[in-house]
Amino acid sequence: MDYSQFLSMQAELSLLAVIIVLFVADLFMSADNKGGKGVYNTPLPVALLALHTLFLLYSLCPQSGSCHHALSAGSAFGGMFLSTPMTTIVKLTLNLGTLIVFLMAHRWLSREENLVKQGEFYIITLFTLLGMYFMMSSGHFLMFFIGLELASVPISALVAFDKYRYESAEAAAKFILLALFSASLLLYGVSLIYGCSGSLYFADISRFFPSVDALFLLGVAFFVAGMGFKLSLVPFHLWTADTYQGAPTVVTAHLSVLSKGAAAFTLLSILIHFSFNEIIFQAWNEVFVWLIIASITVGNLFAIRQRNLKRFMAFSAISQAGYLILPILGGTAQGMSSMVYYLIVYTVANLGAFAVINTIEQHSGKLLIDDYNGLYRTNPKLSFLLTLCLFSLAGIPPFAGFFSKFFVFMAAFSAGWHWVVLVALINTVISLYYYLLIVKAMYILPSETPISPFRSDRYTRAALFICLAGVILLGLVGSLYTYIDTFSFGV
Amino acid sequence: MNFLSIFVLIPLLMLLGLWAARNLNQVRGVMVTGSTALLALSVYLVFAFLDARSLDPQSEMLFVKSIEWFPPLHITYTVGVDGISVAMLLLSAVIVFTGTFASWQLRPLTKEYFLWFTLLSMGVFGFFITIDMFAMFMFYEIALIPMYLLIGVWGSGRKEYSAMKLTLMLMGGSAFLMCGIFGIFYGAGGQTMNIIDIANQTGGAHAIDGNWQMLWFPMTFVGFGILGALFPFHTWSPDGHASAPTAVSMLHAGVLMKLGGYGCFRIAMYLLPEAANELSWIFLILTGISVVYGAFSACVQTDLKYINAYSSVSHCGLVLFAICMATETASVGAILQMLSHGLMTALFFALIGFIYGRTHTRDIRELAGLMKIMPFLAVCYVIAGLANLGLPGLSGFVAEMTIFVGSFENPGTFYTAMTVIACTSIVITAVYILRLVGKILYGTPTNPHHLQLTDATWDERFSVICLILAVAGLGLAPFWVSDMIQTGVHPVIEQLQAAGSLFDSHSNPFL
């Protein structure tokens, strides 16, 4: 066996190293926490993950002589595992997202009932990250499925993390049942695809497949349905609101950004493998047009009526998922860069909003939009940050969300889907309405019992700082998009 | 770094300064310094532009400077000005300057108010200096969103409803606009976002297919037209103006609504000339309705701000009306009308704000005899009213005259009839203005509480006098402005004429 193949798996190996170090540290360090304060706390996992992120970042630098593996597309194990610069960029984004989630989680994990299991939280979260890595780098359906399961099964443990809370357990049950159901649908679809084409390698399927028949399209349909669950696209979104509401807020943040982003990117990478076959490509596009329009519209319309912020963010995330996969239409290189760019911007903006929601929940226990009335008078900085993040999500300049939305629309438009772009654009106005409802609560509506002023912990402030910097700078500084674009179609 | 970018840089520095400001005096200091600097810069720009124009009469845009922004998408940050944008920059600087003084007494949350106010003006200035469609659109949206909080937090009356309605309608417009911009960009080959390149078919752009133009023109025109109070999308304007605080009404009617007219002219008419010739009759009818309907609506209102808001609908309708007429004189008139309307509406809203601040009512049935109580404000109100109804010597006359003369240049019964219909608005304007002036300023005061009220304070007088000087200046010496504007209008009209004429329109049933 050629062990140099492992060199193209640098990201996975270094993440595995982080997990093992954390695991060992957990065994030896956290045994003694009589004082109510764990011996090992947030700094260690954050530092390790940051180190891992820096390592990935370093490997993306074109100058560094020895680290060309990340820049050049490499494959390992006979094409089961593919590594490209673009996947490395997405992995980096997910890393950054996980880092922000860790920073947010500090106060929640320091609670009495969570202190003993904080090690588990970090390790489980990192395992889902590892699963996403494998899923994105897969060149074969088997590898893809292993990654998918590794990414989704541990999440149900995270959703049930507040196990003494009734809603948390309920949310986890809903999540795991539907995740397994969707996984089995997906597997059935994959088996049909295999039956038609005789191969599980993405690259081979379109190459060897002479013509399209109904069975194959059925397989593709099952596959898309399975992925639709992951992405919470309408009509596969029914688990989303309940799970988001029941899960601990930190986990909701993780769910709404990371697993969604990984699934969207994987979907596009697979579509691009298939796009050599004109007929599959057409059928796939037709399906996605309706999925996208349904997700954006239904997500928006349901979000308007929500009173609970986590449910609200759930429907907002459904509609954002629609925007995220909008550039899938046409499967162009421009679409890929704009999707990755959208994902990066969405990560910082959505996690920033969740960081504010989480810190307010941890300090005051309030989660309803009405509770936010008059927040600006008592906590001006937090409400200002939340406003910026919501504006970014709604696509208001000069925040990054405007740029990412513009580019996503531009990609779909250049692929010829003019009317879909128009529908999506009109939907942005609806989404602006409900984002403004929260802004209105914070700035305009008075309150008898406002949330009292408090100072959030320094980890949350660090997370908010990262998000704020991202929301302001990612758009105005144009070089990020240009950099991403140089690697587009490296799949 | 081109010196035009300083127009964006100054508001940016002001934002940072406001962020750091600790007390009210520091906030005011930052605002006065910044807005004075902007005013000085725009005056300097006028002279620099006139100098440069006399040396280089050929190129459409002067002081052009381009920086790559998103090279893969052909997006650049390109600045450049012509006569029209110089005039608009000057107008914006005057309004921002006077608006600062008009909100001198504003409480509470003064710092936050000025933060959003400055962000809004940054969008406005950025919009007028850039000639890249993406950058223009970005600045356009930057100018729109602060309005929500400015009205929602510091407004009066049904402020939440008005703020939401205004924001959503304008954002709906920009949704269509974005689609139109994509259409123009990809229609012209997807190689450049630069307006001048697309119009001249340089830099990789080619002519936009005529059939596609028919699709993108209405989207772009309506997108910008909503901000220019195009009938039937004008309904945000009266509610928004009525609820907004004084300086925000000034800035909104004075500058923001001009973004619409400017955009219609600069993007819709300039880049889609074939469709403009073919379809402008539809918009001529819609804007004709705006002009007359706005004026009639103003007659029946009882709230001072609603009267002025409907009057704005009528006058801004005239801007778009003149743009649709597509003659050089009418277009010069349209730009002059933007300037004139911007100044006098700002003056009007400032005065209404000051009166409301004292009497706490804007209902004209409860106001009478203000001339005795606050003579300074009342006299200024009369001047503003006279400018509004087009008294010679003030700015309104010059602008409306030019528009109607230019519109009559178009032969054909349809165009003549439309011009005559629009002309009637002058009479209706006189009706509501004179009725209003007679009702609230003259006669005897009915409310005894009003007798104790005081006249304007120094900051109010200062902002009002600045505006009156500008209105009178534009009315007495219009030629240096109109000459400057003419150089900017000329290429657009040439473009329209090269693509055919209004009389080639096959879809117009009235021809």
Side-chain angles (χ1 to χ4, degrees):
Chain A
M1 188 179 169
D2 178 12
Y3 289 101
S4 69
Q5 292 184 77
F6 283 104
L7 272 177
S8 58
M9 300 178 70
Q10 283 169 355
E12 286 73 12
L13 291 178
S14 83
L15 182 62
L16 206 57
V18 170
I19 295 174
I20 291 170
V21 170
L22 275 180
F23 191 65
V24 175
D26 191 37
L27 281 182
F28 286 100
M29 290 168 71
S30 72
D32 171 21
N33 57 356
K34 290 172 195 131
K37 196 161 164 50
V39 176
Y40 116 82
N41 217 321
T42 321
L44 181 65
V46 166
L48 284 175
L49 190 61
L51 210 62
H52 165 65
T53 313
L54 285 180
F55 172 70
L56 274 192
L57 201 62
Y58 173 71
S59 70
L60 270 180
C61 284
Q63 280 81 23
S64 56
S66 62
C67 293
H68 278 307
H69 282 98
L71 271 181
S72 57
S75 71
F77 311 115
M80 293 266 278
F81 181 90
L82 305 168
S83 167
T84 62
M86 203 55 143
T87 51
T88 312
I89 290 176
V90 181
K91 285 171 190 170
L92 207 57
T93 313
L94 298 180
N95 256 329
L96 182 74
T98 314
L99 196 65
I100 298 173
V101 168
F102 280 3
L103 287 171
M104 277 162 63
H106 174 75
R107 195 182 159 94
W108 171 63
L109 284 178
S110 324
R111 284 180 175 185
E112 195 71 33
E113 72 268 22
N114 288 337
L115 207 51
V116 286
K117 45 183 182 174
Q118 55 176 325
E120 282 87 334
F121 172 77
Y122 297 124
I123 291 167
I124 293 173
T125 313
L126 289 179
F127 265 117
T128 67
L129 188 62
L130 188 65
M132 291 171 203
Y133 278 16
F134 280 119
M135 183 164 92
M136 288 187 299
S137 286
S138 57
H140 186 277
F141 269 119
L142 193 60
M143 186 64 141
F144 162 76
F145 189 72
I146 291 171
L148 183 78
E149 287 299 281
L150 185 55
S152 63
V153 174
I155 286 183
S156 62
L158 285 179
V159 172
F161 212 72
D162 277 351
K163 64 176 179 182
Y164 302 109
R165 222 157 39 83
Y166 160 76
E167 296 92 349
S168 184
E170 179 199 330
K174 279 181 179 156
F175 179 81
I176 191 70
L177 287 176
L178 281 170
L180 291 179
F181 181 64
S182 73
S184 54
L185 268 186
L186 195 143
L187 263 192
Y188 186 56
V190 169
S191 73
L192 289 181
I193 293 174
Y194 178 69
C196 289
S197 63
S199 172
L200 282 173
Y201 286 99
F202 302 147
D204 288 349
I205 289 170
S206 56
R207 206 174 302 146
F208 294 149
F209 195 61
S211 65
V212 169
D213 59 12
L215 198 59
F216 187 85
L217 282 180
L218 196 66
V220 172
F222 278 123
F223 175 72
V224 170
M227 290 305 278
F229 273 105
K230 293 264 84 180
L231 272 163
S232 65
L233 296 175
V234 174
F236 315 111
H237 67 290
L238 295 165
W239 58 277
T240 317
D242 288 344
T243 306
Y244 278 32
Q245 188 185 5
T249 310
V250 175
V251 178
T252 312
H254 176 274
L255 262 177
S256 74
V257 173
L258 301 175
S259 59
K260 204 166 262 197
F265 181 77
T266 315
L267 199 57
L268 181 56
S269 336
I270 297 177
L271 172 64
I272 286 175
H273 284 296
F274 282 18
S275 69
F276 298 108
N277 187 319
E278 195 56 39
I279 303 168
I280 304 174
F281 184 55
Q282 283 299 330
W284 201 309
N285 265 343
E286 285 299 322
V287 171
F288 272 106
V289 165
W290 296 110
L291 285 180
I292 288 167
I293 289 180
S295 307
I296 294 177
T297 315
V298 172
N300 275 342
L301 293 179
F302 279 62
I304 293 175
R305 301 300 300 271
Q306 302 306 319
R307 305 313 312 159
N308 181 300
L309 262 173
K310 275 156 86 178
R311 277 187 94 81
F312 171 87
M313 289 306 281
F315 284 106
S316 142
I318 291 173
S319 114
Q320 294 283 349
Y323 291 114
L324 184 60
I325 60 161
L326 186 60
I328 275 188
L329 299 177
T332 56
Q334 189 188 350
M336 174 160 246
S337 357
S338 60
M339 176 196 261
V340 172
Y341 183 68
Y342 193 94
L343 177 62
I344 296 174
V345 172
Y346 174 66
T347 304
V348 285
N350 214 40
L351 288 180
F354 267 113
V356 176
I357 294 171
N358 180 52
T359 187
I360 288 177
E361 190 201 359
Q362 298 304 327
H363 280 91
S364 67
K366 293 187 175 175
L367 261 180
L368 298 182
I369 293 179
D370 294 337
D371 293 334
Y372 278 51
N373 289 354
L375 185 69
Y376 186 76
R377 311 272 165 161
T378 53
N379 292 294
K381 283 186 182 149
L382 278 182
S383 24
F384 188 69
L385 280 168
L386 185 55
T387 310
L388 294 196
C389 290
L390 292 177
F391 278 177
S392 183
L393 287 174
I396 301 290
F399 310 113
F402 169 76
F403 296 85
S404 59
K405 277 224 167 84
F406 196 95
F407 297 160
V408 161
F409 292 144
M410 211 164 158
F413 198 94
S414 78
W417 297 95
H418 301 172
W419 67 275
V420 183
V421 171
L422 188 63
V423 173
L425 274 169
I426 291 169
N427 266 292
T428 57
V429 182
I430 305 176
S431 74
L432 181 65
Y433 170 70
Y434 59 74
Y435 290 127
L436 281 181
L437 285 181
I438 297 182
V439 175
K440 176 171 144 187
M442 293 190 298
Y443 283 84
I444 301 176
L445 298 178
S447 172
E448 302 283 302
T449 52
I451 294 166
S452 51
F454 65 86
R455 197 171 163 76
S456 39
D457 59 283
R458 61 177 187 274
Y459 296 102
T460 305
R461 272 183 277 146
L464 284 171
F465 179 77
I466 297 174
C467 296
L468 177 70
V471 162
I472 291 177
L473 292 180
L474 283 178
L476 293 173
V477 180
S479 41
L480 176 66
Y481 182 85
T482 313
Y483 181 70
I484 293 173
D485 197 67
T486 52
F487 298 123
S488 195
F489 253 152
V491 176
Chain B
M1 183 94 169
N2 189 289
F3 87 97
L4 286 176
S5 300
I6 302 177
F7 273 113
V8 177
L9 202 63
I10 292 177
L12 212 58
L13 293 177
M14 285 162 78
L15 286 179
L16 291 179
L18 288 172
W19 186 258
R22 287 278 161 259
N23 56 42
L24 188 63
N25 279 335
Q26 285 179 6
V27 168
R28 285 173 173 172
V30 169
M31 284 309 293
V32 171
T33 318
S35 57
T36 315
L38 282 168
L39 189 62
L41 185 66
S42 61
V43 171
Y44 167 73
L45 176 67
V46 172
F47 289 108
F49 177 80
L50 290 175
D51 270 354
R53 182 50 94 196
S54 61
L55 293 176
D56 174 15
Q58 290 306 315
S59 38
E60 293 162 28
M61 293 287 171
L62 295 174
F63 310 122
V64 176
K65 172 85 178 164
S66 186
I67 302 170
E68 290 280 334
W69 197 359
F70 294 96
L73 301 174
H74 309 284
I75 289 171
T76 59
Y77 170 76
T78 310
V79 293
V81 285
D82 64 358
I84 306 175
S85 22
V86 170
M88 287 296 142
L89 286 168
L90 186 62
L91 169 73
S92 319
V94 170
I95 309 277
V96 169
F97 181 72
T98 51
T100 303
F101 285 96
S103 30
W104 202 251
Q105 313 286 355
L106 186 118
R107 303 272 190 305
L109 300 174
T110 317
K111 175 173 157 178
E112 285 79 358
Y113 170 82
F114 279 121
L115 268 177
W116 295 110
F117 185 86
T118 309
L119 187 65
L120 197 162
S121 48
M122 183 171 104
V124 170
F125 285 114
F127 182 76
F128 287 131
I129 60 168
T130 45
I131 50 173
D132 178 275
M133 283 196 295
F134 177 81
M136 279 179 90
F137 183 71
M138 187 190 85
F139 282 119
Y140 176 83
E141 293 220 331
I142 289 181
L144 295 188
I145 198 72
M147 215 41 131
Y148 179 74
L149 286 162
L150 285 173
I151 296 179
V153 179
W154 293 275
S156 58
R158 288 197 302 163
K159 57 184 186 179
E160 290 153 29
Y161 166 79
S162 311
M164 191 62 96
K165 181 173 176 181
L166 179 144
T167 313
L168 291 186
M169 283 190 77
L170 296 184
M171 282 294 168
S174 67
F176 285 102
L177 184 57
M178 204 198 261
C179 217
I181 286 177
F182 289 144
I184 295 171
F185 174 67
Y186 284 108
Q191 293 300 315
T192 173
M193 282 265 186
N194 188 317
I195 292 177
I196 305 299
D197 278 343
I198 295 176
N200 296 335
Q201 299 173 20
T202 53
H206 56 72
I208 305 170
D209 179 63
N211 293 327
W212 282 114
Q213 284 197 21
M214 300 304 164
L215 193 56
W216 309 132
F217 179 75
M219 286 202 181
T220 321
F221 200 93
V222 169
F224 278 121
I226 291 180
L227 190 53
L230 175 72
F231 181 87
F233 309 108
H234 66 284
T235 52
W236 57 271
S237 155
D239 289 323
H241 285 314
S243 305
T246 306
V248 175
S249 294
M250 286 169 68
L251 206 62
H252 197 194
V255 182
L256 211 53
M257 285 171 89
K258 308 303 170 282
L259 262 56
Y262 180 89
C264 283
F265 191 66
R266 175 75 86 219
I267 291 185
M269 304 292 281
Y270 192 30
L271 302 184
L272 302 163
E274 283 175 44
N277 282 325
E278 180 73 28
L279 299 176
S280 67
W281 66 273
I282 300 174
F283 294 102
L284 212 51
I285 292 172
L286 289 179
T287 52
I289 297 174
S290 282
V291 171
V292 179
Y293 164 80
F296 272 118
S297 305
C299 286
V300 296
Q301 297 297 326
T302 53
D303 183 311
L304 281 177
K305 274 198 166 180
Y306 270 101
I307 295 177
N308 208 25
Y310 276 111
S311 154
S312 280
V313 171
S314 165
H315 284 107
C316 283
L318 213 49
V319 171
L320 296 180
F321 179 83
I323 287 174
C324 289
M325 279 292 181
T327 67
E328 195 160 327
T329 320
S331 304
V332 172
I335 312 296
L336 278 175
Q337 172 79 351
M338 285 199 227
L339 288 177
S340 144
H341 172 259
L343 293 170
M344 69 193 186
T345 318
L347 177 59
F348 248 131
F349 276 121
L351 290 167
I352 293 171
F354 300 153
I355 293 174
Y356 176 66
R358 291 174 167 69
T359 59
H360 301 291
T361 176
R362 293 192 305 249
D363 194 325
I364 59 173
R365 288 165 300 193
E366 296 171 18
L367 293 168
L370 293 183
M371 189 62 98
K372 291 198 183 70
I373 304 166
M374 34 188 103
F376 178 82
L377 289 178
V379 168
C380 294
Y381 203 94
V382 174
I383 296 174
L386 293 179
N388 210 354
L389 61 80
L391 187 79
L394 296 171
S395 60
F397 173 72
V398 180
E400 290 182 2
M401 198 62 199
T402 319
I403 288 177
F404 293 128
V405 168
S407 306
F408 264 116
E409 278 175 11
N410 274 327
T413 327
F414 172 67
Y415 295 99
T416 315
M418 285 311 296
T419 313
V420 170
I421 292 172
C423 276
T424 58
S425 74
I426 299 181
V427 184
I428 311 167
T429 306
V431 171
Y432 65 78
I433 291 291
L434 294 178
R435 183 185 67 119
L436 182 66
V437 167
K439 175 78 187 57
I440 69 167
L441 300 185
Y442 298 101
T444 47
T446 47
N447 190 334
H449 295 295
H450 288 177
L451 288 172
Q452 276 99 49
L453 298 174
T454 53
D455 207 351
T457 55
W458 70 270
D459 46 275
E460 295 170 343
R461 283 175 198 244
F462 182 67
S463 68
V464 166
I465 287 172
C466 286
L467 285 169
I468 290 183
L469 286 180
V471 169
L474 188 59
L476 292 172
F479 292 111
W480 65 272
V481 192
S482 61
D483 287 348
M484 191 169 78
I485 292 170
Q486 190 132 26
T487 60
V489 165
H490 189 69
V492 182
I493 301 299
E494 236 176 19
Q495 187 86 0
L496 284 164
Q497 280 163 355
S501 86
L502 293 181
F503 301 97
D504 295 340
S505 172
H506 303 294
S507 53
N508 188 345
F510 302 104
L511 279 182

